[in-house]
Amino acid sequence: MTLNILLAILAGVLVGLSRQLNGKLSLSTSPLVASFWNHIVGFAALTIIGLSFGGLIPDGIANIPWFDYIGGPIGVIFVAAGSWLLVRIGAANTALLIVGGQMVSGVVMDWFMAESFTVAPSAIGVTLILAGMALMQMRTRN
Amino acid sequence: MDKPISPLHLLAAFATGGLLTLMVHFNGELGRYGNALFSSWTAHGTGTIAAVVFILALGGKWRYENAPERTTPWWAYLGGLSGAMTVMVTSYAVNSPLALSGTLALGLGGQVLFSLAADHWGFFGLPKRQPELRDLAALALVMAGSAVIILYGLG
């Protein structure tokens, strides 16, 4: 169990590490070009992993509707936006605001799509996040 | 951080989180038909093609004369490696007793701690930043709200 916990924390660290490296790359290229390198390097790494361990082309993928492949192009904009933000507002602010946006939009999406939806905790969570964002906007000195 | 974040940056970052929700949804569908590796591999492949199309549509510039930095250290190209590893590590943790909510909550903690450390020490030559009391209070509110949604609001 300790290993699982460490791996789950590591997953978050890797997200931050990736954003930091792409942000650095964007300073000598552009956020979009950094996103390109992020994707082609990741694609190469995953190709090697897939060819080594199998599972790259599973059964059942012929039934996938075409629009489900839109996640990749959305990811390009997402990674480019992360680099753009990181060098402007810093790593912690970028991470917090993206997480806040992900949580609130996730709640909205669940509201419309999920079969079961628990209103009270979601409403409390969204309120706390929006309060945190409002606080980020407040001035503490002139 | 003596100045608050500008509304433009705040909204851009918040909207970026919305993009992440969409991305996770569609890539989750790919994973549902196939598996986690297929999902990430395909998303990186279609993303690579999309990035080339976007760059060409914006004039095909791979280098910018007025970029803030002139040289690129070799390791700055490795962000994609870290991203690919995230997929493998996450899919392992999600299938453990932690399940999705535990994996998300712990991952959130890891990401925020790393980003605070990255700001404090200026990891990889990026600017150092020290949070003020206001920033830490905002952090606590966003983290608490996210934890409530992940642990009690899912499902």
Side-chain angles (χ1 to χ4, degrees):
Chain A
M1 195 60 192
T2 312
L3 176 69
N4 293 328
I5 290 171
L6 288 176
L7 282 175
I9 295 170
L10 175 65
V13 170
L14 287 169
V15 169
L17 177 64
S18 178
R19 197 174 286 146
Q20 198 81 5
L21 290 170
N22 288 326
K24 176 68 177 174
L25 178 54
S26 79
L27 287 176
S28 56
T29 56
S30 77
L32 190 53
V33 171
S35 183
F36 162 79
W37 285 109
N38 175 79
H39 280 79
I40 198 164
V41 168
F43 183 73
L46 291 165
T47 303
I48 293 167
I49 291 168
L51 293 177
S52 307
F53 300 98
L56 206 53
I57 317 276
D59 299 332
I61 58 172
N63 303 320
I64 300 177
W66 66 269
F67 53 79
D68 280 343
Y69 289 97
I70 201 77
I74 292 174
V76 172
I77 312 285
F78 171 74
V79 172
S83 300
W84 188 84
L85 288 162
L86 181 83
V87 300
R88 283 166 178 78
I89 62 174
N93 285 333
T94 302
L96 269 187
L97 286 167
I98 289 179
V99 166
Q102 184 190 11
M103 291 297 144
V104 173
S105 58
V107 165
V108 172
M109 195 166 181
D110 275 359
W111 179 285
F112 289 109
M113 292 184 65
E115 286 137 24
S116 63
F117 181 77
T118 41
V119 178
S122 302
I124 293 168
V126 168
T127 306
L128 287 169
I129 290 169
L130 295 180
M133 290 175 62
L135 192 58
M136 281 178 160
Q137 285 279 284
M138 280 168 58
R139 271 179 199 284
T140 46
R141 6 173 143 151
N142 292 319
Chain B
M1 289 193 236
D2 13 300
K3 282 200 294 187
I5 297 172
S6 81
L8 167 75
H9 290 144
L10 188 102
L11 285 177
F14 191 70
T16 301
L19 279 183
L20 184 57
T21 295
L22 288 177
M23 187 184 92
V24 168
H25 169 75
F26 287 116
N27 290 346
E29 287 295 291
L30 292 183
R32 200 166 58 82
Y33 284 97
N35 57 47
L37 176 64
F38 169 78
S39 166
S40 183
W41 181 63
T42 310
H44 278 84
T46 55
T48 302
I49 296 165
V52 171
V53 170
F54 293 155
I55 290 167
L56 292 178
L58 292 172
K61 287 176 105 172
W62 296 81
R63 285 259 160 199
Y64 285 75
E65 296 301 315
N66 57 353
E69 294 185 0
R70 305 216 55 81
T71 55
T72 310
W74 63 270
W75 43 259
Y77 290 97
L78 300 183
L81 215 54
S82 180
M85 273 176 68
T86 310
V87 180
M88 310 317 297
V89 173
T90 304
S91 56
Y92 185 89
V94 164
N95 290 305
S96 80
L98 292 174
L100 179 63
S101 52
T103 304
L104 285 177
L106 289 167
L108 181 62
Q111 191 187 150
V112 168
L113 286 178
F114 176 87
S115 63
L116 284 170
D119 279 343
H120 183 80
W121 284 292
F123 284 175
F124 306 110
L126 289 168
K128 288 181 189 174
R129 286 165 170 270
Q130 310 306 337
E132 284 181 9
L133 191 59
R134 178 205 49 219
D135 301 302
L136 292 174
L139 185 144
L141 283 169
V142 173
M143 292 283 282
S146 303
V148 169
I149 291 172
I150 290 170
L151 299 176
Y152 303 104
L154 288 182

